[in-house]
Amino acid sequence: MSQLDDFDRQILKHLEADGRMAYSAIAAILGVSNTMIHQRITRLIDQGILVGIKPVLNEKKLGYDWGAFTGISLEKDHDSKRIIEELQKIPEVTECYYITGNYTLYLKIIAKDHEHMRQLLYDKIDSIPGISKTDTIIELGCAFKRNIIL
């Protein structure tokens, strides 16, 4: 694993603040060449440190007013790959994690309203063969969400 130097950290901080920031603007702020910024960002991508620059959507403005976290227990843990493939087919499942404890998987789900959430949970997720139990907690809002502070 490579170490980040101060330039790498500064580049990442600028991209975190505005992922659309031009390389030339970052170069001007840091007093280095565009080429250096391009090479550094390419290296960060090649090393897997920077995995992409993409938009962050405001789900509420898109009509998805409900959020939930759902723990999933499986009948057999070795079925997890197949079950994850089925979960990936449900667009409203936005995150899926392997976890320890009472559940095998933990999901983040968004829905337009309570009826939509009910349909997702009962008609789509609970009907996937191999899921033995779900436990859902309704989200009331995100206090904050961020990347690791460098």
Side-chain angles (χ1 to χ4, degrees), residues 46-85:
D46 290 345
Q47 292 176 339
I49 294 169
L50 184 60
V51 294
I53 299 171
K54 59 185 178 181
V56 177
L57 302 178
N58 183 332
E59 296 157 349
K60 302 245 184 257
K61 295 232 182 225
L62 294 171
Y64 291 86
D65 289 331
W66 279 60
F69 297 96
T70 299
I72 295 182
S73 299
L74 306 182
E75 291 171 5
K76 298 175 184 171
D77 283 347
H78 69 269
D79 284 342
S80 64
K81 182 179 179 186
R82 179 187 52 77
I83 291 168
I84 289 167
E85 288 171 357

Side-chain angles (χ1 to χ4, degrees), residues 80-95:
S80 64
K81 182 179 179 186
R82 179 187 52 77
I83 291 168
I84 289 167
E85 288 171 357
E86 291 300 313
L87 290 167
Q88 285 178 313
K89 295 176 185 176
I90 305 170
E92 297 89 348
V93 176
T94 59
E95 298 176 47

Side-chain angles (χ1 to χ4, degrees), residues 104-122:
T104 304
L105 301 171
Y106 206 66
L107 310 178
K108 171 70 167 108
I109 304 168
I110 60 169
K112 294 182 177 185
D113 53 36
H114 74 279
E115 178 61 22
H116 185 205
M117 183 65 74
R118 187 199 65 72
Q119 289 171 349
L120 290 168
L121 292 170
Y122 295 136

